[in-house]
Amino acid sequence: MSGTENTRSGRRPGNSGTREAILDAARVRFAEVGFDQASIRSIATAASVDPALVHHYFGTKKELFTAALDFPIDPEVVLSQIAAAPLENLGETLVRAVVTVWDSPVGIPAIATFRTLLTTRDPALARTLLLDVILKGVRLRLDEAVGDGAKRSVLAASQLTGLLVTRKMIRIEPLASMPIDELVAAVGPTLQRYFTGELPPGT
């Protein structure tokens, strides 16, 4: 095969180099425009590979995003529970689903990844994870049911981020060791108010 044909294929030499090039391009693109606006084709173009290679290595865009963050948890573990919850139970369901993952063995590397996103990488990736992946379905449901989905989901994101920091990063007691049922009962209604309650004018 000629060097010209190699150039046209858009393939980089070596599987490892190709995979890392895609991941690097994906991190930049997701940080720049968010999950929804970052297309597989644009990421492939930035990595100088064919879009088919992106699918070959990573499957779906959501799987690529998870790999780009080096996130050890499939977001569907949480998303499927949230999607199945009735609107009136959304707050408690979200808290229970997220905290259950945090408190599991796989939660340790997941929290480490999130800490890295907040402190050493572009925080836009953490924002994309929260708003464009974890809370996207919630935002769309709230837009349809009560309105202000974007505002409500951001308020929920602030609560979840604060809960993560206080429970798992700086471990403030008694929150750090509070049983999940007690935590859900305490925090779930606050999230539910953000989701379906009346917000103050101008909020």
Side-chain angles (χ1 to χ4, degrees), residues 23 27 30 64-72 113-114 117 121 125-126 128-129:
L23 288 175
R27 292 185 190 106
F30 285 131
L64 172 60
F65 182 73
T66 302
L69 298 187
D70 195 22
F71 207 61
T113 298
F114 198 80
L117 290 178
R121 291 186 189 170
L125 289 173
T128 296
L129 174 63

Side-chain angles (χ1 to χ4, degrees), residues 189-202:
T190 298
L191 280 185
Q192 192 64 42
R193 182 176 68 82
Y194 288 153
F195 289 148
T196 58
E198 185 174 347
L199 297 179

Side-chain angles (χ1 to χ4, degrees), residues 89-96 98-99 102 155-164 166-167 175 178-195:
N89 295 333
L90 200 53
E92 291 187 356
T93 300
L94 181 56
V95 174
R96 185 178 298 279
V98 170
V99 174
W102 292 345
L155 289 169
S158 72
Q159 187 76 27
L160 289 174
T161 303
L163 184 60
L164 173 63
T166 53
R167 181 173 175 86
L175 191 64
M178 188 176 292
I180 288 182
D181 286 345
E182 185 178 350
L183 191 63
V184 169
V187 180
T190 298
L191 280 185
Q192 192 64 42
R193 182 176 68 82
Y194 288 153
F195 289 148

Side-chain angles (χ1 to χ4, degrees), residues 146-161:
V146 293
D148 290 327
K151 182 186 298 181
R152 292 173 183 276
S153 61
V154 167
L155 289 169
S158 72
Q159 187 76 27
L160 289 174
T161 303

Side-chain angles (χ1 to χ4, degrees), residues 32-176:
E32 286 178 341
V33 301
F35 181 82
D36 289 341
Q37 298 301 315
S39 67
I40 291 291
R41 181 171 296 278
S42 68
I43 291 168
T45 298
S48 300
V49 302
D50 191 280
L53 274 180
V54 181
H55 291 292
H56 170 73
Y57 283 114
F58 300 102
T60 66
K61 185 167 73 167
K62 191 174 291 182
E63 289 169 327
L64 172 60
F65 182 73
T66 302
L69 298 187
D70 195 22
F71 207 61
I73 299 171
D74 181 354
E76 288 299 329
V77 172
V78 172
L79 298 181
S80 59
Q81 298 176 58
I82 298 171
L87 191 62
E88 63 271 18
N89 295 333
L90 200 53
E92 291 187 356
T93 300
L94 181 56
V95 174
R96 185 178 298 279
V98 170
V99 174
T100 297
V101 170
W102 292 345
D103 289 356
S104 71
V106 76
I108 297 173
I111 292 163
T113 298
F114 198 80
R115 181 187 289 111
T116 299
L117 290 178
L118 292 176
T119 58
T120 62
R121 291 186 189 170
D122 191 331
L125 289 173
R127 184 166 61 246
T128 296
L129 174 63
L130 278 172
L131 298 180
D132 293 348
V133 177
I134 295 176
L135 290 172
K136 178 183 176 181
V138 170
R139 183 180 74 242
L140 296 177
R141 287 179 67 184
L142 296 178
D143 269 338
E144 182 177 349
V146 293
D148 290 327
K151 182 186 298 181
R152 292 173 183 276
S153 61
V154 167
L155 289 169
S158 72
Q159 187 76 27
L160 289 174
T161 303
L163 184 60
L164 173 63
V165 171
T166 53
R167 181 173 175 86
K168 306 303 293 188
M169 294 184 180
I170 58 179
R171 302 189 60 82
I172 297 177
E173 294 292 357
L175 191 64

